[in-house]
């Protein structure tokens, strides 16, 4: 990537494919979002733990939102485009057409979503091998990664497996649709497919787990051309893709990122001078990026590889070039809060009162908590109410898919007060889970002093304050709330050649908005909550042992 002097105004397009919608933003060279658009995408749930999407539906939404954000803008001022997406598995046939990932043979449903947990027995088989590649995923592979999903397809849909010509991670599918080049991003193949930056693919792993047919064709189906995130792909936009997106033919297209990693890119490198933060004048390794949406990801970088039990990685150059990445996570956070709130008997009352006051349900709940707290700090209202948040299994640091959610302290009360309290206890449980992940990372050698939050949940002040209070660390919020889109635009900026490196683009395009400090006077209370939190999982394992004996 060559540096050049930027014009007075330059723009970059960031496209983000989330779990339920596609978003695009037009971002300037200072990281300001000047236009934004969003469109929902379809999700099918044909049976429990099976979640599917359509790559055609996703690409059509990408084109629609991109056209909206660039409408009326001088095309000559747009310098590059970057894509990020969930780490879902896209399956195409040998003619690059969608291929069914379901028993119904519905070819348009050709994407196995990241949160699909159908491949439980396959991941158990893979982990039983204790192959050396598992050292780079915290010691145990997750069902959300691609090898178990590929093995499930081979074992359960042999006809689709035989017809398959290409398996893409969704971010790489998008760059292929844009350029016609079937390159993979180092981010996707390292984080979700067991590729390593020094050794590449490990033949013995694929042979050991029963996917030796991928080795025979020299990995053509899963990718043998790998680029660093932000590196220019091919000759830019093809004529067809340019037409579909409303962008100039040949526009620079960047090698993509997984959505959480794009969020990390958008926040973790921001200039923090003047904000009185412990990470000021410290290396970027003192920061943890948290991307909080349907699920949450915890991204920490280090100069040397750190092996953290139950935390994915270390992955070299998977997010920030030249640094090792460790990635913790919680499989259900925003989804869990929605599940708890919307499933409560008082939800219709909440919905009605929030609408009458012209507030969102969560703004209304936060206000209601302030009303019922009396002289107590809000967080202290849950002294007798405790939640274990693994309603969809534990991703980090316990890597236990079989764990279930728990609530201790329920009463016969059914009103809005009780709904507000279970909402608060659920948010606290998610923050306690973050503290658990942080402690494991720090025990392995990370030195994290500051949290950088982005994603939908970072817009909730209660969620942010609980994370500050429970971890005891300041939380930095970006000036631009759409940090994932800024991260995607940073990729496009790097592909254009306008910045010498991703680090330079991160520093110039990621900006601090607000800092939330922890209330250290509440530390003793949250230390006790954390002690109870850890007891909950002990008790769950104890009663499970009794029932299984």
């Amino acid at each position: 990537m060559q540096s050049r002097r930027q014009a007075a105004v330059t723009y970059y397009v960031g496209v983000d494919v989330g779990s339920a919608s596609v978003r695009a933003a037009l971002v300037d060279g200072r990281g300001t979002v000047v236009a934004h658009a969003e469109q929902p995408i379809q999700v099918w749930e044909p049976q429990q733990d099976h979640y599917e999407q359509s790559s055609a539906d996703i690409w059509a939404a990408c084109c629609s939102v991109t056209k909206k954000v660039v409408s009326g803008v001088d095309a000559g001022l747009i310098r590059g485009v970057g894509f990020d997406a969930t780490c879902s598995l896209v399956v195409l046939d040998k003619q690059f057409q969608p291929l069914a990932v379901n028993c119904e043979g519905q070819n348009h449903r050709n994407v196995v979503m990241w949160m699909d947990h159908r491949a439980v027995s396959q991941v158990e088989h893979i982990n039983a091998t204790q192959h050396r590649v598992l050292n780079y995923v915290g010691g145990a592979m997750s069902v959300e990664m691609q090898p178990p999903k590929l093995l499930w397809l081979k074992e359960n849909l042999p006809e689709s497996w035989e017809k398959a010509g290409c398996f893409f991670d969704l971010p790489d599918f998008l760059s292929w649709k844009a350029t016609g080049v079937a390159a993979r991003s180092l981010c996707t193949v390292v984080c979700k497919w067991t590729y390593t930056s020094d050794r590449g693919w490990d033949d013995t792993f694929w042979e050991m787990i029963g996917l030796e047919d991928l080795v025979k064709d020299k990995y053509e189906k899963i990718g043998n051309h790998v680029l660093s995130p932000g590196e220019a792909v091919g000759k830019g936009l093809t004529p067809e893709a340019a037409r579909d997106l409303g962008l100039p033919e040949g526009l620079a297209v960047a090698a993509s990122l997984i959505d959480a990693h794009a969020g990390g890119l958008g926040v973790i490198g921001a200039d923090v001078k003047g904000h009185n933060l412990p990470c000021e004048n410290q290396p970027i390794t003192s920061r943890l990026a948290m991307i909080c949406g349907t699920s949450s990801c915890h991204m920490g970088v280090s100069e040397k590889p750190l092996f953290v039990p139950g935390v994915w990685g270390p992955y070299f150059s998977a997010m920030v070039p030249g640094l090792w990445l460790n990635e913790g996570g919680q499989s259900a956070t925003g989804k869990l809060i929605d599940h708890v709130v919307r499933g409560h008997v008082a939800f219709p009352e909440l919905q009605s009162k929030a609408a009458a006051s012209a507030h969102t349900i969560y703004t209304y709940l936060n206000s209601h908590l302030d009303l019922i707290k009396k002289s107590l700090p809000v967080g202290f209202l849950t002294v007798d109410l405790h939640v274990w948040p693994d309603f969809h299994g534990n991703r980090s640091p316990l890597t236990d898919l079989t764990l279930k959610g728990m609530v201790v302290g329920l009463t016969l009360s059914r009103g809005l007060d009780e709904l507000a309290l279970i909402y608060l206890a659920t948010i606290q449980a998610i923050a306690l889970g973050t503290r658990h992940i942080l402690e494991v990372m720090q025990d392995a050698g990370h030195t994290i002093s500051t949290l950088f939050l982005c994603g939908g949940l970072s817009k909730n002040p209660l969620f942010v304050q609980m994370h500050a209070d429970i971890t005891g660390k300041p939380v930095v919020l970006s000036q631009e709330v759409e940090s994932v889109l800024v991260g995607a635009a940073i990729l496009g900026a790097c592909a254009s050649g306008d910045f010498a490196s991703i680090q330079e683009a991160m520093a110039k395009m990621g900006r601090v908005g607000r800092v939330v400090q922890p209330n250290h006077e509440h530390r003793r209370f949250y230390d006790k909550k954390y002690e109870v939190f850890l007891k909950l999982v002990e008790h769950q394992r104890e009663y499970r042992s009794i029932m299984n004996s």
Side-chain angles (χ1 to χ4, degrees):
M1 300 180 211
Q2 303 220 337
S3 183
R4 66 178 71 164
R5 181 172 297 186
Q6 285 181 271
V9 182
T10 51
Y11 296 115
Y12 312 96
V13 176
V15 181
D16 163 54
V17 179
S19 300
S21 67
V22 175
R23 304 179 304 151
L26 187 68
V27 182
D28 70 18
R30 297 179 65 249
T32 302
V33 174
V34 297
H36 172 266
E38 184 169 5
Q39 182 168 314
I41 49 178
Q42 193 162 358
V43 176
W44 288 270
E45 188 181 356
Q47 54 184 291
Q48 186 177 352
D49 288 334
H50 288 229
Y51 295 93
E52 299 166 8
Q53 290 181 313
S54 159
S55 64
D57 178 47
I58 290 168
W59 180 249
C62 289
C63 295
S64 175
V65 292
T66 301
K67 279 181 175 175
K68 286 177 184 175
V69 299
V70 301
S71 176
V73 177
D74 180 352
L77 300 177
I78 301 171
R79 304 276 301 131
V81 59
F83 295 93
D84 74 76
T86 64
C87 49
S88 300
L89 177 66
V90 182
V91 183
L92 304 178
D93 67 17
K94 293 177 175 65
Q95 287 73 46
F96 293 95
Q97 296 303 306
L99 187 62
V101 295
N102 49 77
C103 299
E104 296 85 359
Q106 297 290 313
N107 283 329
H108 66 284
R109 287 161 38 199
N110 69 316
V111 179
V112 183
M113 286 187 73
W114 66 271
M115 61 185 182
D116 185 291
H117 281 192
R118 69 181 69 182
V120 171
S121 63
Q122 288 75 20
V123 82
E124 289 172 352
H125 163 69
I126 290 169
N127 287 330
T129 67
Q130 297 185 325
H131 193 279
R132 59 178 174 262
V133 300
L134 301 180
N135 293 332
Y136 289 86
V137 291
M141 183 165 286
S142 165
V143 72
E144 295 171 11
M145 293 178 177
Q146 309 304 7
K149 292 174 180 172
L150 291 169
L151 189 56
W152 186 94
L153 291 172
K154 182 177 181 180
E155 291 177 353
N156 292 275
L157 300 176
E159 188 175 341
S160 284
W161 183 260
E162 286 302 317
K163 290 180 179 177
C166 203
F167 301 101
F168 279 113
D169 219 281
L170 183 52
D172 296 324
F173 168 81
L174 299 175
S175 61
W176 167 73
K177 282 292 285 185
T179 65
V181 177
R184 280 16 177 227
S185 166
L186 187 65
C187 174
T188 59
V189 293
V190 165
C191 295
K192 306 300 173 185
W193 297 71
T194 74
Y195 188 90
T196 59
S197 52
D198 56 342
R199 296 192 310 270
W201 298 114
D202 190 318
D203 294 356
T204 63
F205 169 72
W206 298 100
E207 290 163 354
M208 187 178 287
I209 69 170
L211 292 176
E212 62 284 343
D213 29 355
L214 297 178
V215 179
K216 289 174 186 172
D217 69 0
K218 298 181 180 177
Y219 300 101
E220 187 175 344
K221 288 182 180 178
I222 63 173
N224 48 27
H225 178 203
V226 179
L227 300 175
S228 295
E231 193 173 342
V233 181
K235 296 179 180 178
L237 287 180
T238 64
E240 182 183 1
R243 222 170 24 249
D244 291 344
L245 292 162
L247 292 170
E249 180 182 339
L251 182 72
V253 177
S256 55
L257 280 174
I258 298 166
D259 55 351
H261 301 66
L265 210 64
V267 295
I268 202 170
D271 185 352
V272 298
K273 285 192 178 81
H275 291 277
N276 194 29
L277 287 164
C279 64
E280 186 174 345
N281 298 320
Q282 297 298 313
I284 197 173
T285 53
S286 64
R287 307 177 182 193
L288 183 91
M290 272 188 66
I291 298 83
C292 317
T294 305
S295 63
S296 290
C297 293
H298 304 70
M299 324 285 278
V301 292
S302 58
E303 293 180 356
K304 295 179 180 178
L306 297 175
F307 293 86
V308 187
V311 173
W312 299 341
Y315 303 133
F316 186 66
S317 289
M319 184 173 76
V320 181
L323 295 177
W324 293 85
L325 171 70
N326 283 108
E327 180 186 349
Q330 295 160 295
S331 291
T333 49
K335 189 175 180 68
L336 174 61
I337 295 168
D338 277 350
H339 173 78
V340 168
V341 170
R342 294 177 184 275
H344 195 278
V345 68
F347 178 68
E349 180 188 354
L350 167 64
Q351 209 169 19
S352 173
K353 289 185 173 179
S357 64
H359 287 125
T360 69
I361 57 173
Y362 296 115
T363 300
Y364 190 90
L365 280 173
N366 292 348
S367 299
H368 192 76
L369 285 166
D370 284 333
L371 285 176
I372 65 176
K373 72 175 184 178
K374 298 179 181 175
S375 60
L376 287 171
V378 165
F380 288 25
L381 289 169
T382 59
V383 64
D384 290 322
L385 185 60
H386 309 282
V387 172
W388 179 263
D390 291 330
F391 286 49
H392 198 49
N394 184 283
R395 186 191 297 173
S396 302
L398 302 178
T399 59
D400 187 346
L401 272 178
T402 67
L403 286 175
K404 303 291 190 288
M406 300 172 71
V407 183
V408 175
L410 292 174
T411 71
L412 292 175
S413 300
R414 294 156 56 88
L416 195 54
D417 288 1
E418 286 65 41
L419 170 51
L421 291 178
I422 191 68
Y423 160 71
L424 170 61
T426 302
I427 285 177
Q428 288 176 330
I430 292 167
L432 290 162
T434 290
R435 177 168 167 173
H436 196 192
I437 292 166
L438 270 171
E439 287 193 355
V440 172
M441 291 179 71
Q442 290 178 156
D443 287 346
H446 282 277
T447 54
I448 295 160
S449 66
T450 311
L451 308 183
F452 287 70
L453 263 63
C454 69
L457 290 175
S458 69
K459 301 171 190 176
N460 184 333
L462 180 66
F463 184 90
V464 174
Q465 189 64 59
M466 287 298 102
H467 274 77
D469 290 350
I470 287 171
T471 64
K473 299 184 188 300
V475 173
V476 176
L477 301 173
S478 292
Q479 186 165 318
E480 286 293 344
V481 294
E482 305 296 352
S483 299
V484 176
L485 284 166
V486 172
I490 285 172
L491 294 174
C494 291
S496 74
D498 287 346
F499 294 92
S501 65
I502 280 184
Q503 287 93 329
E504 182 188 339
M506 284 165 56
K508 290 185 178 176
M509 294 177 69
R511 292 184 291 163
V512 174
R514 191 163 64 90
V515 173
V516 177
Q517 294 289 348
N519 190 326
H520 294 295
E521 292 177 6
H522 300 171
R523 182 170 183 84
R524 186 164 179 268
F525 176 80
Y526 290 118
D527 284 348
K528 290 181 178 180
K529 286 282 289 186
Y530 186 56
E531 189 176 346
V532 172
F533 179 79
L534 296 178
K535 288 286 184 188
L536 290 177
V537 72
E538 283 182 29
H539 291 324
Q540 182 173 161
R541 285 173 164 170
E542 283 174 15
Y543 75 62
R544 185 175 292 178
S545 175
I546 292 167
M547 295 306 295
N548 291 334
S549 63

